[in-house]
Amino acid sequence: MGYCPNTPDEIREMLAVIGAGSIEELFAPIPAELRAKSFDLPPGMSEFELMRIMREKAAAGGAEIVPFIGGGIYDHIIPAAVDHLSSRAEFYTAYTPYQPECSQGTLQALFEYQSVICRLTGMEASNASLYDGGTAVAEAALMSLRITERNRVVLDASINPLHREIVTGYLHGLSAEAVEVAPDGCGSDLKRLIDSIDEETAAVIVQNPNFFGSVQDFSELAVKAHEKGALLIISGYPIALGLVASPGEMGADIAVGDGQSLGNPLSFGGPYFGFIATRKRFIRNLPGRIVGETIDNQGRRGYVLTLQAREQHIKRHKATSNICSNQSLCALRGLIFCASLGRKGFEELAVLNYDKAQYAKSRLTGVKGVSVMNAGTTFNEFTLSLPKDAAPVVEKLLACGVAAGVPLVQYYPGMDNALTVTVTEKRSKAEIDRLAALLEEALCS
Amino acid sequence: MAKFFTKEHEWVEMDGAQAIVGISEHAAHELGDITFVELPKIGKSVKQFDTLAGIESVKAASDIYAPVSGKVAQVNDKLEDAPELVNQGAESEGWICRLEGVDASELGALLDAAAYAKYLEGL
């Protein structure tokens, strides 16, 4: 495989056109001391040799490791249709779809995506995606400040710690503050959350299932928040919405989350997409792009970016948000994923995740000294209490090709023995049994 | 009671102790199809010429300034579902809000209908 496409003859020809005698002469205007002496590159390789090296490196780097890790990003099956349809050239080449006359396919896809997100979250309006789950939570927090004209948000500390950090980062420098409420064990402390809402609270932000994997009902929290003029923001894991009551059903005003689990590969941390949806009455405060359906002057259906008066180019400093882009291609994958599964398939996927995690829970708590810390229902993640520090145990299992979970001590000081384990539909019974056996072995040694 | 106008194209008309506020027919025509009126919150206090509300059309978003100082007593909530009322009658059914606690002497800083018409001719 030739990396450099130019032959010596072609190079000579090009140099002759511009009147340079050699490559050296071409670069002469750059002082010699600023030019690279050598690129220190090994000799070239054939494509076959290179692929072999890459395969070896991938195997050594842990690509074969069986993951029981979640914590916001999840290893789910991706139907082949997602790769095939989303990689169609029409979707790859369309630039920002400002021009409806040449972007109808992209705009229609985003409109359908918005419709799917509304169905999943139980909300009335969605934008065309945000950068990731953390950005979505932060944008929802800013949205609540704008709507209520208040300056305080209450953050449940059982939200993904990375997302919490993004929210506090966004609020830093604004005249707004984030107040964190510690969880009660592995669940949200509903009483303390309710008590923390005052006349200055713009929103209470919770996550369902939370970072420990606990599923909770936030309906009462919604009522109490509304009584004090505050909003309820629920961040969620979209696959869980096939089984768990939606944010809309619980009375939330804004629903957000990371869409990675909808047809996007883990791919070492991104790109992913964030979703955000809300009630119709708050649509003017929704950040980012919204695609609307309309009819042209001949009555034909068409799609356009709508409500653009919220945006920077018209409202300038009074724009709804600084977000000026989105994750169309990742969102498109999310749409194709949902459409491929269909309503029933989506429910079945959620049930499969729940059932496999329940099996893992029973197997792992069968190991001596191991117990589940979540008091109530969990979805496909749960937190174990081990009889010793979790981090070295995870290291030990990693050497056997199993990533056992997320040791919580890195996010929650003092929780040295806590390990959050995730089981998706991709984990087989044999893999779960092996995890239990390896855990037993690691704890006994 | 007569209407008074600002050079920013708002109008105000006293109705007893309250002032009715809106944007002029000229402004509505210039903005084009109105798509949204951001009504002020009831109870909000404003000083003369401060930002009172917002208005968006298919081609622009603009602030609406308070022609006189006062406190928002009532808003035209019909505009929430039908912002086009501003296009249909900016100086009648498309009014924006009513202010209370108004100092009528501030009207002296505004243009009467004839002066506003002349001002528009010069634009």
CSV table of all heavy atoms in Angstrom, one decimal, chain A residues 314-367:
chain,number,residue,atom,x,y,z
A,314,ILE,N,-29.9,35.3,15.3
A,314,ILE,CA,-31.0,36.3,15.4
A,314,ILE,C,-31.1,37.0,16.8
A,314,ILE,O,-31.2,38.2,16.8
A,314,ILE,CB,-32.4,35.6,15.1
A,314,ILE,CG1,-32.4,35.2,13.6
A,314,ILE,CG2,-33.5,36.6,15.3
A,314,ILE,CD1,-33.6,34.5,13.1
A,315,LYS,N,-31.0,36.2,17.8
A,315,LYS,CA,-31.1,36.8,19.1
A,315,LYS,C,-29.8,37.3,19.8
A,315,LYS,O,-29.9,37.9,20.8
A,315,LYS,CB,-31.8,35.8,20.1
A,315,LYS,CG,-33.3,35.9,20.1
A,315,LYS,CD,-33.8,35.3,21.4
A,315,LYS,CE,-35.1,36.0,21.8
A,315,LYS,NZ,-35.7,35.3,23.0
A,316,ARG,N,-28.8,37.0,19.1
A,316,ARG,CA,-27.4,37.4,19.6
A,316,ARG,C,-27.3,37.1,21.1
A,316,ARG,O,-27.4,36.0,21.5
A,316,ARG,CB,-27.3,38.9,19.3
A,316,ARG,CG,-27.2,39.2,17.8
A,316,ARG,CD,-26.9,40.6,17.4
A,316,ARG,NE,-28.0,41.5,17.8
A,316,ARG,CZ,-29.0,41.7,17.0
A,316,ARG,NH1,-29.1,41.1,15.8
A,316,ARG,NH2,-30.0,42.6,17.3
A,317,HIS,N,-26.9,38.1,21.9
A,317,HIS,CA,-26.6,37.8,23.3
A,317,HIS,C,-27.8,37.3,24.1
A,317,HIS,O,-27.6,36.7,25.2
A,317,HIS,CB,-26.0,39.1,24.0
A,317,HIS,CG,-27.0,40.2,24.1
A,317,HIS,ND1,-27.4,40.9,23.0
A,317,HIS,CD2,-27.7,40.7,25.2
A,317,HIS,CE1,-28.3,41.8,23.4
A,317,HIS,NE2,-28.5,41.7,24.7
A,318,LYS,N,-29.0,37.4,23.5
A,318,LYS,CA,-30.1,36.8,24.3
A,318,LYS,C,-30.5,35.5,23.8
A,318,LYS,O,-31.6,35.0,24.0
A,318,LYS,CB,-31.3,37.8,24.1
A,318,LYS,CG,-31.1,39.1,24.9
A,318,LYS,CD,-32.4,39.9,25.0
A,318,LYS,CE,-32.2,41.1,25.9
A,318,LYS,NZ,-33.3,41.9,25.9
A,319,ALA,N,-29.6,34.8,23.0
A,319,ALA,CA,-29.9,33.5,22.5
A,319,ALA,C,-30.2,32.5,23.6
A,319,ALA,O,-29.7,32.7,24.8
A,319,ALA,CB,-28.8,33.0,21.7
A,320,THR,N,-31.0,31.5,23.3
A,320,THR,CA,-31.4,30.5,24.3
A,320,THR,C,-30.2,29.8,24.9
A,320,THR,O,-30.1,29.5,26.1
A,320,THR,CB,-32.4,29.5,23.7
A,320,THR,OG1,-33.5,30.2,23.2
A,320,THR,CG2,-32.8,28.5,24.7
A,321,SER,N,-29.2,29.5,24.0
A,321,SER,CA,-28.1,28.7,24.5
A,321,SER,C,-26.9,29.0,23.5
A,321,SER,O,-27.1,29.4,22.4
A,321,SER,CB,-28.4,27.2,24.4
A,321,SER,OG,-27.3,26.4,24.2
A,322,ASN,N,-25.7,28.7,24.0
A,322,ASN,CA,-24.5,28.8,23.1
A,322,ASN,C,-24.3,27.6,22.3
A,322,ASN,O,-23.4,27.6,21.4
A,322,ASN,CB,-23.3,29.0,24.0
A,322,ASN,CG,-23.1,30.4,24.4
A,322,ASN,OD1,-23.5,31.3,23.6
A,322,ASN,ND2,-22.6,30.7,25.6
A,323,ILE,N,-25.1,26.5,22.5
A,323,ILE,CA,-25.0,25.3,21.7
A,323,ILE,C,-25.3,25.7,20.3
A,323,ILE,O,-26.4,26.2,20.0
A,323,ILE,CB,-25.9,24.2,22.2
A,323,ILE,CG1,-25.4,23.6,23.5
A,323,ILE,CG2,-26.2,23.1,21.2
A,323,ILE,CD1,-24.5,22.5,23.4
A,324,CYS,N,-24.4,25.4,19.3
A,324,CYS,CA,-24.7,25.8,18.0
A,324,CYS,C,-24.5,24.6,17.0
A,324,CYS,O,-24.4,24.7,15.8
A,324,CYS,CB,-23.9,27.0,17.5
A,324,CYS,SG,-22.1,26.8,17.8
A,325,SER,N,-24.3,23.4,17.6
A,325,SER,CA,-24.2,22.2,16.8
A,325,SER,C,-24.9,21.1,17.5
A,325,SER,O,-25.4,21.2,18.5
A,325,SER,CB,-22.7,21.9,16.5
A,325,SER,OG,-22.6,20.9,15.6
A,326,ASN,N,-24.9,19.9,16.8
A,326,ASN,CA,-25.4,18.7,17.5
A,326,ASN,C,-24.7,17.5,16.9
A,326,ASN,O,-23.7,17.6,16.3
A,326,ASN,CB,-27.0,18.7,17.3
A,326,ASN,CG,-27.4,18.5,15.9
A,326,ASN,OD1,-26.7,19.0,15.0
A,326,ASN,ND2,-28.5,17.9,15.7
A,327,GLN,N,-25.3,16.3,17.2
A,327,GLN,CA,-24.6,15.1,16.9
A,327,GLN,C,-25.5,14.3,15.9
A,327,GLN,O,-25.9,13.2,16.2
A,327,GLN,CB,-24.3,14.3,18.2
A,327,GLN,CG,-23.4,14.9,19.1
A,327,GLN,CD,-22.0,14.8,18.7
A,327,GLN,OE1,-21.5,15.6,17.8
A,327,GLN,NE2,-21.2,13.9,19.2
A,328,SER,N,-25.8,14.9,14.8
A,328,SER,CA,-26.7,14.3,13.8
A,328,SER,C,-26.5,12.9,13.5
A,328,SER,O,-27.4,12.1,13.5
A,328,SER,CB,-26.7,15.1,12.5
A,328,SER,OG,-27.3,16.4,12.7
A,329,LEU,N,-25.2,12.5,13.2
A,329,LEU,CA,-25.0,11.2,12.7
A,329,LEU,C,-25.2,10.2,13.8
A,329,LEU,O,-25.7,9.1,13.6
A,329,LEU,CB,-23.5,11.1,12.1
A,329,LEU,CG,-23.3,9.9,11.2
A,329,LEU,CD1,-24.2,9.9,10.0
A,329,LEU,CD2,-21.8,9.9,10.8
A,330,CYS,N,-24.7,10.5,15.0
A,330,CYS,CA,-24.9,9.6,16.2
A,330,CYS,C,-26.4,9.5,16.5
A,330,CYS,O,-26.9,8.4,16.9
A,330,CYS,CB,-24.2,10.1,17.4
A,330,CYS,SG,-22.4,10.1,17.2
A,331,ALA,N,-27.1,10.6,16.4
A,331,ALA,CA,-28.6,10.6,16.7
A,331,ALA,C,-29.3,9.8,15.6
A,331,ALA,O,-30.2,9.1,15.9
A,331,ALA,CB,-29.1,12.1,16.7
A,332,LEU,N,-28.8,9.9,14.4
A,332,LEU,CA,-29.4,9.1,13.3
A,332,LEU,C,-29.2,7.6,13.6
A,332,LEU,O,-30.1,6.8,13.4
A,332,LEU,CB,-28.7,9.4,12.0
A,332,LEU,CG,-29.1,8.6,10.8
A,332,LEU,CD1,-30.5,8.9,10.3
A,332,LEU,CD2,-28.1,8.7,9.6
A,333,ARG,N,-28.0,7.2,14.1
A,333,ARG,CA,-27.8,5.8,14.5
A,333,ARG,C,-28.8,5.4,15.6
A,333,ARG,O,-29.4,4.3,15.6
A,333,ARG,CB,-26.4,5.6,15.0
A,333,ARG,CG,-25.3,5.8,14.0
A,333,ARG,CD,-23.9,5.5,14.5
A,333,ARG,NE,-23.8,4.2,15.0
A,333,ARG,CZ,-23.2,3.2,14.2
A,333,ARG,NH1,-22.8,3.5,13.0
A,333,ARG,NH2,-23.1,2.0,14.7
A,334,GLY,N,-29.1,6.4,16.5
A,334,GLY,CA,-30.1,6.1,17.6
A,334,GLY,C,-31.4,5.8,17.0
A,334,GLY,O,-32.2,4.9,17.5
A,335,LEU,N,-31.8,6.6,16.0
A,335,LEU,CA,-33.1,6.5,15.4
A,335,LEU,C,-33.2,5.1,14.7
A,335,LEU,O,-34.2,4.4,14.8
A,335,LEU,CB,-33.3,7.6,14.4
A,335,LEU,CG,-34.5,7.4,13.4
A,335,LEU,CD1,-35.8,7.5,14.2
A,335,LEU,CD2,-34.5,8.5,12.3
A,336,ILE,N,-32.2,4.8,13.9
A,336,ILE,CA,-32.2,3.5,13.2
A,336,ILE,C,-32.2,2.3,14.1
A,336,ILE,O,-32.9,1.3,13.9
A,336,ILE,CB,-31.0,3.4,12.2
A,336,ILE,CG1,-31.1,4.6,11.2
A,336,ILE,CG2,-31.0,2.1,11.5
A,336,ILE,CD1,-29.8,4.7,10.3
A,337,PHE,N,-31.5,2.5,15.2
A,337,PHE,CA,-31.5,1.4,16.3
A,337,PHE,C,-32.9,1.2,16.8
A,337,PHE,O,-33.4,0.1,16.8
A,337,PHE,CB,-30.6,1.9,17.4
A,337,PHE,CG,-30.5,0.9,18.6
A,337,PHE,CD1,-29.6,-0.1,18.6
A,337,PHE,CD2,-31.4,1.1,19.7
A,337,PHE,CE1,-29.6,-1.0,19.7
A,337,PHE,CE2,-31.3,0.2,20.8
A,337,PHE,CZ,-30.4,-0.8,20.8
A,338,CYS,N,-33.6,2.3,17.2
A,338,CYS,CA,-34.9,2.2,17.7
A,338,CYS,C,-35.9,1.6,16.7
A,338,CYS,O,-36.8,0.8,17.0
A,338,CYS,CB,-35.4,3.5,18.2
A,338,CYS,SG,-34.5,4.1,19.6
A,339,ALA,N,-35.8,2.1,15.4
A,339,ALA,CA,-36.7,1.7,14.4
A,339,ALA,C,-36.4,0.2,14.1
A,339,ALA,O,-37.4,-0.5,13.8
A,339,ALA,CB,-36.5,2.5,13.1
A,340,SER,N,-35.2,-0.2,14.1
A,340,SER,CA,-34.9,-1.6,13.9
A,340,SER,C,-35.5,-2.5,14.9
A,340,SER,O,-36.0,-3.6,14.6
A,340,SER,CB,-33.4,-1.9,13.9
A,340,SER,OG,-32.7,-1.0,13.0
A,341,LEU,N,-35.5,-2.1,16.1
A,341,LEU,CA,-36.0,-3.0,17.2
A,341,LEU,C,-37.5,-2.9,17.2
A,341,LEU,O,-38.2,-3.9,17.5
A,341,LEU,CB,-35.5,-2.5,18.6
A,341,LEU,CG,-34.2,-3.3,19.1
A,341,LEU,CD1,-33.1,-3.1,18.2
A,341,LEU,CD2,-33.9,-2.9,20.5
A,342,GLY,N,-38.1,-1.7,17.0
A,342,GLY,CA,-39.5,-1.5,17.1
A,342,GLY,C,-39.9,-1.5,18.6
A,342,GLY,O,-39.1,-1.8,19.5
A,343,ARG,N,-41.2,-1.2,18.8
A,343,ARG,CA,-41.7,-1.0,20.1
A,343,ARG,C,-41.5,-2.3,21.0
A,343,ARG,O,-41.0,-2.2,22.1
A,343,ARG,CB,-43.1,-0.6,20.1
A,343,ARG,CG,-43.7,-0.1,21.4
A,343,ARG,CD,-45.2,0.0,21.3
A,343,ARG,NE,-45.7,0.4,22.6
A,343,ARG,CZ,-46.3,1.5,22.9
A,343,ARG,NH1,-46.6,2.4,21.9
A,343,ARG,NH2,-46.8,1.8,24.1
A,344,LYS,N,-41.9,-3.4,20.4
A,344,LYS,CA,-41.9,-4.7,21.1
A,344,LYS,C,-40.4,-5.1,21.3
A,344,LYS,O,-40.1,-5.5,22.4
A,344,LYS,CB,-42.7,-5.7,20.3
A,344,LYS,CG,-43.0,-6.9,21.1
A,344,LYS,CD,-44.1,-7.7,20.4
A,344,LYS,CE,-44.5,-9.0,21.2
A,344,LYS,NZ,-43.4,-9.9,21.5
A,345,GLY,N,-39.6,-5.0,20.3
A,345,GLY,CA,-38.2,-5.3,20.4
A,345,GLY,C,-37.5,-4.5,21.5
A,345,GLY,O,-36.6,-5.1,22.2
A,346,PHE,N,-37.9,-3.3,21.6
A,346,PHE,CA,-37.2,-2.4,22.6
A,346,PHE,C,-37.6,-2.9,24.0
A,346,PHE,O,-36.7,-2.9,24.9
A,346,PHE,CB,-37.7,-0.9,22.3
A,346,PHE,CG,-36.8,0.1,22.9
A,346,PHE,CD1,-35.7,0.6,22.2
A,346,PHE,CD2,-36.9,0.5,24.2
A,346,PHE,CE1,-34.9,1.5,22.7
A,346,PHE,CE2,-36.1,1.4,24.8
A,346,PHE,CZ,-35.0,1.9,24.0
A,347,GLU,N,-38.9,-3.2,24.2
A,347,GLU,CA,-39.3,-3.7,25.5
A,347,GLU,C,-38.6,-5.0,25.8
A,347,GLU,O,-38.1,-5.2,26.9
A,347,GLU,CB,-40.8,-4.0,25.4
A,347,GLU,CG,-41.6,-2.7,25.7
A,347,GLU,CD,-43.1,-3.0,25.6
A,347,GLU,OE1,-43.5,-4.2,25.8
A,347,GLU,OE2,-43.8,-2.1,25.3
A,348,GLU,N,-38.5,-5.9,24.8
A,348,GLU,CA,-37.8,-7.2,25.0
A,348,GLU,C,-36.3,-7.0,25.4
A,348,GLU,O,-35.8,-7.7,26.2
A,348,GLU,CB,-37.9,-8.1,23.8
A,348,GLU,CG,-39.3,-8.7,23.6
A,348,GLU,CD,-39.5,-9.4,22.3
A,348,GLU,OE1,-38.5,-9.5,21.5
A,348,GLU,OE2,-40.6,-9.8,22.0
A,349,LEU,N,-35.7,-6.0,24.7
A,349,LEU,CA,-34.3,-5.7,25.0
A,349,LEU,C,-34.2,-5.3,26.5
A,349,LEU,O,-33.2,-5.7,27.2
A,349,LEU,CB,-33.8,-4.6,24.1
A,349,LEU,CG,-32.4,-4.1,24.4
A,349,LEU,CD1,-31.4,-5.2,24.0
A,349,LEU,CD2,-32.1,-2.8,23.6
A,350,ALA,N,-35.1,-4.4,26.9
A,350,ALA,CA,-35.0,-3.9,28.3
A,350,ALA,C,-35.2,-5.1,29.3
A,350,ALA,O,-34.5,-5.2,30.3
A,350,ALA,CB,-36.1,-2.8,28.5
A,351,VAL,N,-36.2,-5.9,29.0
A,351,VAL,CA,-36.5,-7.1,29.9
A,351,VAL,C,-35.3,-8.0,29.9
A,351,VAL,O,-34.9,-8.5,31.0
A,351,VAL,CB,-37.7,-7.9,29.4
A,351,VAL,CG1,-37.9,-9.2,30.1
A,351,VAL,CG2,-39.0,-7.0,29.5
A,352,LEU,N,-34.6,-8.2,28.8
A,352,LEU,CA,-33.5,-9.1,28.7
A,352,LEU,C,-32.3,-8.6,29.6
A,352,LEU,O,-31.7,-9.3,30.4
A,352,LEU,CB,-33.0,-9.2,27.3
A,352,LEU,CG,-32.2,-10.4,26.8
A,352,LEU,CD1,-32.8,-11.7,27.2
A,352,LEU,CD2,-31.9,-10.3,25.3
A,353,ASN,N,-32.1,-7.2,29.6
A,353,ASN,CA,-31.1,-6.6,30.4
A,353,ASN,C,-31.5,-6.8,31.9
A,353,ASN,O,-30.6,-7.1,32.7
A,353,ASN,CB,-31.0,-5.1,30.1
A,353,ASN,CG,-30.1,-4.8,28.9
A,353,ASN,OD1,-29.0,-4.4,29.1
A,353,ASN,ND2,-30.5,-5.1,27.7
A,354,TYR,N,-32.7,-6.6,32.2
A,354,TYR,CA,-33.2,-6.7,33.6
A,354,TYR,C,-33.0,-8.1,34.1
A,354,TYR,O,-32.4,-8.4,35.1
A,354,TYR,CB,-34.6,-6.3,33.7
A,354,TYR,CG,-35.2,-6.5,35.1
A,354,TYR,CD1,-35.0,-5.6,36.1
A,354,TYR,CD2,-36.0,-7.6,35.4
A,354,TYR,CE1,-35.5,-5.8,37.4
A,354,TYR,CE2,-36.5,-7.8,36.6
A,354,TYR,CZ,-36.3,-6.9,37.6
A,354,TYR,OH,-36.8,-7.1,38.9
A,355,ASP,N,-33.4,-9.1,33.3
A,355,ASP,CA,-33.4,-10.5,33.7
A,355,ASP,C,-31.9,-11.0,33.9
A,355,ASP,O,-31.6,-11.7,34.8
A,355,ASP,CB,-34.1,-11.4,32.7
A,355,ASP,CG,-35.6,-11.2,32.7
A,355,ASP,OD1,-36.1,-10.7,33.7
A,355,ASP,OD2,-36.3,-11.7,31.8
A,356,LYS,N,-31.1,-10.7,32.9
A,356,LYS,CA,-29.7,-11.1,33.0
A,356,LYS,C,-29.0,-10.5,34.2
A,356,LYS,O,-28.2,-11.2,34.9
A,356,LYS,CB,-28.9,-10.8,31.7
A,356,LYS,CG,-29.4,-11.6,30.6
A,356,LYS,CD,-28.3,-11.6,29.5
A,356,LYS,CE,-28.7,-12.6,28.4
A,356,LYS,NZ,-27.6,-12.9,27.5
A,357,ALA,N,-29.3,-9.2,34.5
A,357,ALA,CA,-28.7,-8.6,35.7
A,357,ALA,C,-29.2,-9.2,37.0
A,357,ALA,O,-28.5,-9.4,37.9
A,357,ALA,CB,-29.1,-7.1,35.7
A,358,GLN,N,-30.5,-9.6,36.9
A,358,GLN,CA,-31.1,-10.3,38.1
A,358,GLN,C,-30.4,-11.6,38.4
A,358,GLN,O,-30.1,-12.0,39.5
A,358,GLN,CB,-32.6,-10.5,38.0
A,358,GLN,CG,-33.4,-9.3,38.1
A,358,GLN,CD,-33.3,-8.6,39.4
A,358,GLN,OE1,-32.7,-7.5,39.5
A,358,GLN,NE2,-33.8,-9.1,40.5
A,359,TYR,N,-30.1,-12.3,37.3
A,359,TYR,CA,-29.4,-13.6,37.4
A,359,TYR,C,-28.0,-13.4,38.0
A,359,TYR,O,-27.5,-14.0,38.9
A,359,TYR,CB,-29.3,-14.3,36.0
A,359,TYR,CG,-28.4,-15.5,36.1
A,359,TYR,CD1,-28.9,-16.7,36.7
A,359,TYR,CD2,-27.2,-15.6,35.5
A,359,TYR,CE1,-28.1,-17.8,36.8
A,359,TYR,CE2,-26.4,-16.7,35.6
A,359,TYR,CZ,-26.8,-17.8,36.2
A,359,TYR,OH,-26.0,-18.9,36.3
A,360,ALA,N,-27.3,-12.3,37.4
A,360,ALA,CA,-26.0,-12.0,37.9
A,360,ALA,C,-26.0,-11.6,39.4
A,360,ALA,O,-25.1,-12.0,40.1
A,360,ALA,CB,-25.4,-10.9,37.1
A,361,LYS,N,-27.0,-10.9,39.7
A,361,LYS,CA,-27.1,-10.5,41.1
A,361,LYS,C,-27.2,-11.7,42.0
A,361,LYS,O,-26.6,-11.8,43.1
A,361,LYS,CB,-28.4,-9.6,41.3
A,361,LYS,CG,-28.4,-8.6,42.4
A,361,LYS,CD,-29.7,-8.0,42.6
A,361,LYS,CE,-30.0,-6.7,41.9
A,361,LYS,NZ,-31.3,-6.1,42.2
A,362,SER,N,-28.0,-12.7,41.6
A,362,SER,CA,-28.2,-13.8,42.5
A,362,SER,C,-26.9,-14.7,42.5
A,362,SER,O,-26.5,-15.2,43.6
A,362,SER,CB,-29.4,-14.7,42.0
A,362,SER,OG,-29.1,-15.2,40.8
A,363,ARG,N,-26.2,-14.7,41.4
A,363,ARG,CA,-25.0,-15.5,41.3
A,363,ARG,C,-23.9,-14.8,42.2
A,363,ARG,O,-23.2,-15.5,43.0
A,363,ARG,CB,-24.5,-15.7,39.9
A,363,ARG,CG,-25.3,-16.6,39.0
A,363,ARG,CD,-25.1,-18.1,39.4
A,363,ARG,NE,-23.8,-18.6,39.0
A,363,ARG,CZ,-22.8,-19.0,39.7
A,363,ARG,NH1,-22.9,-18.9,41.0
A,363,ARG,NH2,-21.7,-19.5,39.2
A,364,LEU,N,-23.8,-13.5,42.0
A,364,LEU,CA,-22.7,-12.8,42.7
A,364,LEU,C,-22.9,-12.7,44.2
A,364,LEU,O,-22.0,-12.8,45.0
A,364,LEU,CB,-22.5,-11.4,42.1
A,364,LEU,CG,-22.0,-11.5,40.6
A,364,LEU,CD1,-22.0,-10.1,40.0
A,364,LEU,CD2,-20.6,-12.0,40.5
A,365,THR,N,-24.2,-12.6,44.6
A,365,THR,CA,-24.4,-12.5,46.1
A,365,THR,C,-24.3,-13.9,46.7
A,365,THR,O,-24.4,-14.1,47.9
A,365,THR,CB,-25.8,-11.9,46.4
A,365,THR,OG1,-26.8,-12.6,45.6
A,365,THR,CG2,-25.8,-10.5,46.1
A,366,GLY,N,-24.2,-14.9,45.8
A,366,GLY,CA,-23.9,-16.3,46.3
A,366,GLY,C,-22.5,-16.5,46.8
A,366,GLY,O,-22.1,-17.4,47.5
A,367,VAL,N,-21.6,-15.5,46.4
A,367,VAL,CA,-20.2,-15.6,46.7
A,367,VAL,C,-20.1,-15.1,48.2
A,367,VAL,O,-20.7,-14.1,48.6
A,367,VAL,CB,-19.4,-14.6,45.8
A,367,VAL,CG1,-17.9,-14.6,46.3
A,367,VAL,CG2,-19.5,-15.1,44.4
